[in-house]
Amino acid sequence: MRLPLLSSLLACAAAAKAQQVTIYGLFGSTTAAPIQTTSVPSTTSFQTFSGPATFTGLAAYNPVYLEPPPIPNPPPANQFTINLPNGAANMPGLSIPQAGTFFGFSIEMSVATQLIGTNSSQLQVPFLNLMALMVEKAGAVHVRVGGNTQDTAFMVDSFPDGKIMEKDKEDASNPTSTPVLAFTPDLIYMLGNVSSLVNCYWYLGVPFNDTANWRLEVAELGEAILGDRLLGFQAGNEPDLYGKHGHRAANYSEWDYFGEFSLLTTAYNNDAQITNKKTLIAPSTAGMNWPLNDPVYGPEPVWNTGFVQAYDEFLTALAVERYPDENCAVLYPGLGNPISLINEFPLYLSHNLGLTTVAPYLNSTMLAQTWGKPFLMFETNTASCGGFMGISDAFAAALFGVDWAMQLANSNFTGALFHAGGQDDSYNPFTAPPTNQSAFHQWTIGPIFYSGIVVAEALGTTNTSRVKDLLPNNQSDLTPAYAVYENDALARVVLINFMDDPTGANDYTANIAVGGSQFGENNAVPAQVKVKYLLAPSVSEKDNITWAGQTLGARFEVDGRWKGTESVQTIQCDQTANTCPIKVPAPGVALVFVSDAAQQQAGASESYATFPTTAFTKTANTVTIDPSVLETSNGGNGKDRSKLGGTSQGGANGAVGVYGGAGGAVSALVGGSLVAW
């Protein structure tokens, strides 16, 4: 059933102002006005040796910093012009129309109880707040709960201790140490209750490890509970890796997957409790595994089986999964040589990384259009196997995330889900504190989350945005730019500066010209434009990151609310010369609002509403709501605040503990009160 939307509840729960606080990072400080919290300057030095990081603690909070790559000699020009037609009809090569929900999130199923909530009546407040920020920019947010752990997951009615998820730690049969998960229906009710508070839509996955006995309960209950907030079910997570990971015979091929998918569709079709049969998403390949004798990155081996034509009536979308690189050798010895962080760092500060990574999929995005199917990047981030310390959690990743997502939109993908794992991963968009520290530590935001905010605002809420990679400045690898056309007119421009130069010498100015005789149009530069900046003192910075002058906070200081006052810059244009000069610091991103409608959007007062998270354990801090809004909840008991899930078997994030106040969870109690735990 459809759950009620509680936008009024969010408005009622707005938090009171607190004292100002200075957020310190390795390269500088930002004064903001957050909730009560503290921070100390970092004293960590750069890693200067070649090879991987040697830090062995929790990767999500690593102290690894890398020295910014040097500016090339000669550097790119710091003054150049970008000529743009005002009308979309005069801009060749525009993407298909894109939605503001393009940038979404993928949450590993085993950490759902850590990031989303402990059950359907105790939801993580910071997660709700962060999703509300995305909804403000995009109108909605798309989230997948799945990953490696979904393929072996199975549903049970309940657990004796009241938890909604348990890990079977006896499973160690694959290189990614993926646990077998058991979960209760309350996991799905939990997702539904999130959607009743923020406009969140969900992807789930059908277990794919037992093709003789399909476990379709997740599809049956997902459809019944989530209703129109359900986007679809992934059918197999990276099936082209099944052979390598020991989940199938070593010679498992695209034809074997074709056959197993046939078995799934038969079971799906025969299940009367699944009323919408066209909800499957496939093939979600990782690439470079099929065909066995000559593997390629793209999913063409699957297309060549006639897969889409055979299963069209069941397929709601097509999907692949791809990370630009991998860090698996560090975690799993024997899988190759560990990658040197110093050598790797410059790659993520390069427009070429996105261009080369997306290239194998351009044929498939074209085919998807002819087949009338959305084409999703179902799981991505900086690097698989948890990311790179000092890169995935540094400002460089925020720049990469903006460029990568915009490149995917430009290349006619229809969505990209950035993955979040547990404490052992450095690439997380957001990370809850270790459970034994949640009484005094708050959440940690990853740079990738800032990327999501920027991209959501760049694409807007009209679902008409078409993207163009401009390749300006003589196609410089370090100064990429994208134009966004909305309702067939130029609306916004995204400018990126990958360089790191505290002197300002490599800040650049892009002179944007709109319309003109070369396009058969009148000059169309407005009198002024508005600009929002994504900034940090260095590409190596981890804490001091701001979007339009606001920050979400340093590590262990995030509650999901902006800190500080939003700052939108107004830039005067030269209508006589038909140019508008936009300066982009090194490093940084500028989002330029060109059209009247876009400028009105940029200048509008912030309208998001969030939950306060300052209550301590068992301290009453409630807002009263109608009890009927959580009538679908199965509830829970006091035992279910013990163990939280983790991504990897034996990982540190499986520690036992209870929620403290700063960590923040919403608990729906009998009588209709909402309590921050």
Side-chain angles (χ1 to χ4, degrees):
M1 67 184 67
R2 180 172 181 174
L3 296 171
L5 181 63
L6 300 184
S7 57
S8 59
L9 173 59
L10 284 172
C12 291
K17 294 182 179 179
Q19 298 297 315
Q20 284 193 336
V21 65
T22 298
I23 307 298
Y24 291 94
L26 184 63
F27 302 93
S29 61
T30 294
T31 299
I35 62 169
Q36 295 177 358
T37 183
T38 59
S39 182
V40 295
S42 171
T43 58
T44 307
S45 59
F46 292 122
Q47 174 174 316
T48 57
F49 56 86
S50 183
T54 57
F55 178 72
T56 58
L58 296 177
Y61 316 108
N62 75 82
V64 177
Y65 287 87
L66 301 175
E67 191 165 5
I71 303 296
N73 187 16
N78 59 12
Q79 289 269 354
F80 55 89
T81 299
I82 300 177
N83 295 298
L84 300 172
N86 191 44
N90 293 319
M91 174 59 84
L94 284 171
S95 75
I96 60 176
Q98 302 288 6
T101 54
F102 184 92
F103 193 115
F105 302 101
S106 166
I107 294 176
E108 188 66 40
M109 190 175 185
S110 61
V111 299
T113 50
Q114 189 176 41
L115 295 177
I116 302 174
T118 54
N119 59 36
S120 64
S121 57
Q122 290 180 325
L123 307 178
Q124 284 282 14
V125 170
F127 178 78
L128 295 175
N129 287 346
L130 293 171
M131 295 304 101
L133 297 183
M134 291 293 293
V135 170
E136 184 209 8
K137 306 301 183 186
V141 62
H142 292 178
V143 181
R144 168 220 191 188
V145 176
N148 290 325
T149 45
Q150 82 186 21
D151 266 348
T152 55
F154 60 96
M155 186 180 291
V156 297
D157 291 336
S158 63
F159 294 110
D161 58 7
K163 292 195 292 290
I164 68 172
M165 185 181 293
E166 296 269 15
K167 290 192 300 182
D168 180 359
K169 297 186 177 182
E170 297 302 316
D171 178 67
S173 61
N174 61 80
T176 55
S177 298
T178 304
V180 174
L181 288 183
F183 66 97
T184 74
D186 203 46
L187 174 67
I188 303 175
Y189 281 110
M190 178 175 73
L191 306 184
N193 283 344
V194 169
S195 293
S196 72
L197 298 171
V198 294
N199 198 20
C200 192
Y201 291 76
W202 305 95
Y203 294 104
L204 299 174
V206 174
F208 215 81
N209 68 321
D210 186 354
T211 58
N213 301 283
W214 292 99
R215 301 189 300 280
L216 300 180
E217 296 89 349
V218 67
E220 296 166 355
L221 290 181
E223 180 183 289
I225 295 168
L226 298 178
D228 63 0
R229 301 302 176 91
L230 174 68
L231 295 170
F233 299 99
Q234 185 184 33
N237 183 67
E238 299 177 330
D240 54 329
L241 286 172
Y242 286 170
K244 288 184 177 179
H245 288 177
H247 299 313
R248 301 289 196 279
N251 62 350
Y252 184 81
S253 73
E254 62 272 21
W255 288 102
D256 296 305
Y257 177 69
F258 181 97
E260 291 183 350
F261 199 89
S262 176
L263 298 175
L264 171 61
T265 57
T266 298
Y268 219 65
N269 205 40
N270 292 336
D271 191 328
Q273 295 185 62
I274 302 174
T275 60
N276 183 3
K277 308 299 183 181
K278 198 167 189 173
T279 53
L280 296 180
I281 300 167
S284 303
T285 51
M288 288 306 290
N289 297 293
W290 289 340
L292 297 173
N293 61 341
D294 188 21
V296 296
Y297 268 118
E300 280 80 5
V302 178
W303 308 153
N304 292 340
T305 66
F307 183 85
V308 176
Q309 293 81 0
Y311 304 121
D312 174 75
E313 63 185 300
F314 296 95
L315 291 168
T316 188
L318 307 175
V320 293
E321 301 183 12
R322 180 72 188 276
Y323 295 77
D325 211 336
E326 52 83 18
N327 195 31
C328 301
V330 170
L331 298 180
Y332 312 108
L335 292 182
N337 296 320
I339 291 174
S340 171
L341 295 181
I342 293 176
N343 295 338
E344 193 77 3
F345 200 13
L347 302 181
Y348 286 87
L349 297 166
S350 159
H351 187 55
N352 189 58
L353 181 62
L355 290 173
T356 56
T357 306
V358 80
Y361 306 102
L362 298 180
N363 178 58
S364 290
T365 60
M366 179 188 66
L367 289 173
Q369 293 174 64
T370 66
W371 293 328
K373 303 289 185 186
F375 193 79
L376 301 167
M377 180 60 74
F378 213 62
E379 180 180 319
T380 191
N381 209 306
T382 50
S384 60
C385 294
F388 295 110
M389 297 184 196
I391 300 175
S392 300
D393 55 346
F395 186 59
L399 302 177
F400 156 79
V402 173
D403 190 39
W404 178 225
M406 293 300 292
Q407 185 59 233
L408 289 169
N410 170 77
S411 302
N412 294 325
F413 278 78
T414 55
L417 307 178
F418 284 73
H419 199 55
Q423 311 287 338
D424 297 326
D425 301 321
S426 60
Y427 59 29
N428 297 329
F430 34 77
T431 307
T435 55
N436 59 356
Q437 299 179 26
S438 59
F440 51 89
H441 275 156
Q442 298 189 86
W443 281 38
T444 296
I445 206 72
I448 284 289
F449 185 82
Y450 288 96
S451 307
I453 292 290
V454 175
V455 172
E457 195 154 358
L459 295 178
T461 60
T462 66
N463 298 334
T464 65
S465 292
R466 302 175 69 189
V467 179
K468 172 69 174 181
D469 184 356
L470 300 173
L471 300 171
N473 201 11
N474 293 318
Q475 301 187 28
S476 169
D477 203 31
L478 300 176
T479 60
Y482 297 88
V484 179
Y485 286 77
E486 193 172 63
N487 292 316
D488 294 325
L490 179 66
R492 289 170 285 272
V493 178
V494 178
L495 304 169
I496 303 172
N497 191 340
F498 278 123
M499 292 179 284
D500 189 305
D501 184 358
T503 71
N506 285 286
D507 296 354
Y508 72 75
T509 298
N511 294 291
I512 298 176
V514 183
S517 59
Q518 62 181 307
F519 300 111
E521 299 177 343
N522 295 326
N523 290 354
V525 160
Q528 64 183 29
V529 296
K530 295 187 183 297
V531 183
K532 291 186 179 183
Y533 286 99
L534 178 66
L535 298 174
S538 168
V539 295
S540 301
E541 178 61 58
K542 298 190 180 192
D543 296 327
N544 182 12
I545 300 172
T546 59
W547 169 241
Q550 295 179 304
T551 181
L552 287 164
R555 281 176 287 182
F556 297 120
E557 295 184 344
V558 174
D559 67 358
R561 294 177 292 179
W562 290 117
K563 299 167 172 61
T565 303
E566 184 180 46
S567 174
V568 182
Q569 305 299 311
T570 299
I571 307 297
Q572 300 302 317
C573 303
D574 185 341
Q575 290 186 295
T576 301
N578 194 39
T579 59
C580 202
I582 309 298
K583 185 176 181 179
V584 186
V589 176
L591 177 57
V592 186
F593 298 82
V594 179
S595 69
D596 290 341
Q599 291 195 49
Q600 290 172 12
Q601 177 195 46
S605 300
E606 294 176 298
S607 60
Y608 70 93
T610 56
F611 294 96
T613 59
T614 53
F616 291 97
T617 305
K618 298 182 180 179
T619 298
N621 181 19
T622 67
V623 291
T624 301
I625 61 173
D626 185 343
S628 66
V629 301
L630 294 177
E631 62 187 0
T632 57
S633 171
N634 280 355
N637 58 46
K639 296 180 180 180
D640 55 16
R641 296 194 302 274
S642 56
K643 190 180 298 181
L644 297 180
T647 300
S648 300
Q649 181 183 5
N653 49 308
V656 175
V658 297
Y659 282 106
V666 170
S667 175
L669 302 180
V670 176
S673 292
L674 215 64
V675 181
W677 285 77

